[in-house]
Amino acid sequence: MEVKGNGFSLELKEVLESIPYGVAFLDDQLRVVSINSLLEVLTGYQSEKVKGLEVNQVIKTNVFKELKTGIKKEEKFIIEGDIIDVNRRKIPVKLIVKNIFQGKRRWVILVVEELPFWKEKIPFLPQAEIDFFLGNSPAILKIKEMLPIFAASDATLLIEGETGTGKDLFAEVIHKLSKRADQPFIKVNCGALPETLLESELFGYVKGAFTGANTDKPGMIRLANGGTLFLTEISELPLNLQVKLLTFLDDKEFYPLGSSKKVRVDVRIIVATNKNLKQMVKEGKFREDLFYRLNVLKIQLPPLRERGDDVLILADHFLNEFAKRSHKKIKGFSEGALKVLKFYKYPGNVRELRNIIEYAVHVSSEDLISEKHLPEYIFSSIKEEIEGEKKIEKAEIEGIFKGSTERPFSWAEFEKKKIIEALISCNGKKSEAAKKLGWARSTLWRKLKEYGLE
Amino acid sequence: MKILITVEKDWVSPRFDLTREVLIAENKGEKIRTVILPRPSAEELCSFILTENVDIVVCGGIEETYYQYLLWKKVKVIDRVIGPVKEVLKRVVQNRLREGKIIR
């Protein structure tokens, strides 16, 4: 399709590509005629494949009804709503709709503009203020301090952290706080695609580059022009693509597949990994030169188990969120549940805590979340850990008697610790704790008095 | 194998959280029933899916939270599917449906 004017003629696709937002060109029945590359990235559907489909199928918005009504009444209007994108994120958007008349025929231009993400409720974030990471632990306070510094810089940033620590969120916050906030934020998961596909996704290709390349594809790097390119799971990047990425980082230029013309772009690169890149370099699994090129700015996101009482702050936040969503009036956690939540080590970090709270809210029909509402696996994991600790302690004690450890051993301290553990595991019930310790109830009472644990 | 497809006007509904109608198929698609939901709600639909012991959910757009929750509950989710429910069901029964598929 062509757009013609006084002395000019342009391909529709070219016009749509020139707009720095996701754009759909629709017919009068709101069926897709064409969408631009940015909308392709946002929705995960290719323009050619969605031709003729009702736009609601492609841009999964909650305001389609309003859009349909508005289009009949007004020539141009704006609606705010949300969409669900290819990455299963609910994104707050502004839909700018404009009718275009060509004789009797009507066409519709629909522009999708992402709204600042803190306008919508996002887990991890308190809504009243823009405090991006919940928690007051020293580890998280340090990160909060670094946030504006990293956002102000344009240097490559490496985010390390275990799974579920919030690497994606951190990258997005950095982008939204940077001067590039109004430009695209493109995320590519290096571990999610096979090597050849990843190369064409990143660097794009020209028509005829290989069988099936029927049109030019700009590639994610070009789509991120002016904005931020976030490469997650960077450790999974195949070695030959590591070379290509390194060259791009040095020159800010690259050749799309099958093209002899260099493309120059201005993007900020943020990468993330849950692996130890330095160790991978030592093992020859990651290029040393690329590692140093990426490691300009570096941040290590702390695992939840090292964030102390942040667990409780986050648990409370998630409880409020899920209780509100499920229309349940849950006031908080029982003492026992809080102890369990605090004691558990969360290998899946904040994401796991969130899932645990969601589960608890779903299964609870009371106004307090207690231990019985928490998933069973937590308890078996805690039990394993306590047993593991017992084994270690036993070995230490044996060591003391053999005189092979340097740590001074205090029997009183050891006994006190065992009593506390027994009381925690029995939810404070003394008779059960005494049974667990193999003592008579009176012995436990006496020991509690002795150690000041009453 | 119990399959649930979110429905809107005989097509897979574009959004899981706005779904008002679902199709439930058993016995390789031979036993089919339609359920009208009291209101669109992703949470309520998730608990309905679990109560019904559904094995596979086919839907349009779904938020990561609900996707992960269902996976955690061992429910397979094939999302971002576009197409008429009848054809989609045929494909899922034949194990020929994948995420992001467009059927016309």
Side-chain angles (χ1 to χ4, degrees), chain A residues 393 396-397 400 407-421 437 439 447 450-451 453:
Chain A
E393 276 163 5
E396 280 175 358
I397 294 162
I400 289 157
R407 203 181 133 212
F409 173 75
S410 150
W411 176 256
E413 225 179 87
F414 177 70
E415 203 173 43
K416 196 174 162 184
K417 199 176 165 202
K418 289 287 116 186
I419 295 171
I420 294 169
E421 278 174 4
L437 290 162
W439 294 341
K447 297 265 183 192
E450 199 178 307
Y451 295 128
L453 294 170

Side-chain angles (χ1 to χ4, degrees), chain A residues 196 199-200 203-217 244 255-260:
Chain A
T196 45
E199 186 173 8
S200 62
F203 297 97
Y205 52 78
V206 292
K207 192 176 172 180
F210 47 82
T211 321
N214 301 325
T215 51
D216 288 359
K217 190 179 168 81
K244 204 165 173 180
Y255 288 102
L257 290 174
S259 170
S260 55

Side-chain angles (χ1 to χ4, degrees), chain B residues 51-103:
Chain B
T51 321
E52 283 282 331
N53 289 319
V54 169
D55 300 292
I56 301 178
V57 168
V58 179
C59 59
I62 178 170
E63 265 185 275
E64 183 72 7
T65 312
Y66 305 108
Y67 179 83
Q68 291 296 344
Y69 178 69
L70 290 172
L71 286 194
W72 187 34
K73 291 289 173 185
K74 310 246 181 316
V75 180
K76 184 180 175 185
V77 182
I78 308 174
D79 65 334
R80 297 177 48 247
V81 173
I82 300 178
V85 172
K86 267 188 186 173
E87 190 54 35
V88 167
L89 177 61
K90 210 188 281 173
R91 294 243 186 167
V92 70
V93 165
Q94 293 165 351
N95 202 14
R96 287 197 301 128
L97 189 72
R98 56 181 169 76
E99 177 194 317
K101 183 75 190 166
I102 302 171
I103 305 164

Side-chain angles (χ1 to χ4, degrees), chain A residues 199-405:
Chain A
E199 186 173 8
S200 62
E201 278 294 309
L202 273 176
F203 297 97
Y205 52 78
V206 292
K207 192 176 172 180
F210 47 82
T211 321
N214 301 325
T215 51
D216 288 359
K217 190 179 168 81
M220 299 293 193
I221 295 180
R222 210 181 325 179
L223 288 174
N225 194 14
T228 306
L229 178 70
F230 174 46
L231 302 171
T232 176
E233 287 189 42
I234 189 74
S235 57
E236 305 302 312
L237 194 71
L239 277 167
N240 75 323
L241 278 185
Q242 289 182 22
V243 184
K244 204 165 173 180
L245 180 65
L246 180 67
T247 318
F248 164 68
L249 289 174
D250 285 337
D251 306 340
K252 299 278 178 200
E253 290 178 332
F254 65 94
Y255 288 102
L257 290 174
S259 170
S260 55
K261 219 171 113 188
K262 262 191 181 177
V263 175
R264 190 167 183 80
V265 289
D266 164 36
V267 291
R268 185 194 187 176
I269 307 278
I270 301 181
V271 300
T273 179
N274 56 11
K275 303 242 170 84
N276 185 341
L277 277 191
K278 211 167 183 182
Q279 185 58 35
M280 288 183 73
V281 170
K282 277 184 196 161
E283 290 165 6
K285 291 176 184 163
F286 200 84
R287 285 185 68 102
E288 193 175 5
D289 43 9
L290 179 60
F291 171 70
Y292 288 115
R293 187 67 188 75
L294 295 174
N295 196 15
V296 182
L297 298 177
K298 183 182 159 187
I299 189 133
Q300 179 82 39
L301 297 184
L304 191 52
R305 63 182 173 279
E306 287 173 14
R307 289 177 57 183
D309 283 350
D310 283 0
V311 174
L312 305 182
I313 298 174
L314 286 162
D316 203 44
H317 172 72
F318 293 136
L319 175 69
N320 286 337
E321 179 194 333
F322 291 117
K324 205 172 159 191
R325 276 202 204 178
S326 350
H327 311 288
K328 285 186 176 178
K329 282 180 187 161
I330 302 175
K331 287 186 215 152
F333 299 94
S334 73
E335 281 290 312
L338 282 177
K339 275 177 193 159
V340 173
L341 288 173
K342 222 181 146 187
F343 193 84
Y344 182 58
K345 297 292 183 223
Y346 303 96
N349 293 297
V350 183
R351 188 187 292 126
E352 186 182 7
L353 172 65
R354 190 171 193 270
N355 286 344
I356 289 169
I357 305 300
E358 185 174 11
Y359 173 88
V361 170
H362 276 290
V363 297
S364 168
S365 51
E366 295 158 24
D367 60 354
L368 271 187
I369 300 277
S370 57
E371 296 104 301
K372 65 179 176 193
H373 301 127
L374 299 174
E376 201 51 49
Y377 78 91
I378 295 186
F379 297 95
S380 36
S381 164
I382 290 178
K383 201 178 154 199
E384 271 171 31
E385 200 170 315
I386 290 173
E387 276 166 7
E389 272 177 18
K390 272 184 193 164
K391 273 180 200 162
I392 293 167
E393 276 163 5
K394 201 179 163 200
E396 280 175 358
I397 294 162
E398 280 166 4
I400 289 157
F401 290 123
K402 280 176 197 164
S404 62
T405 178

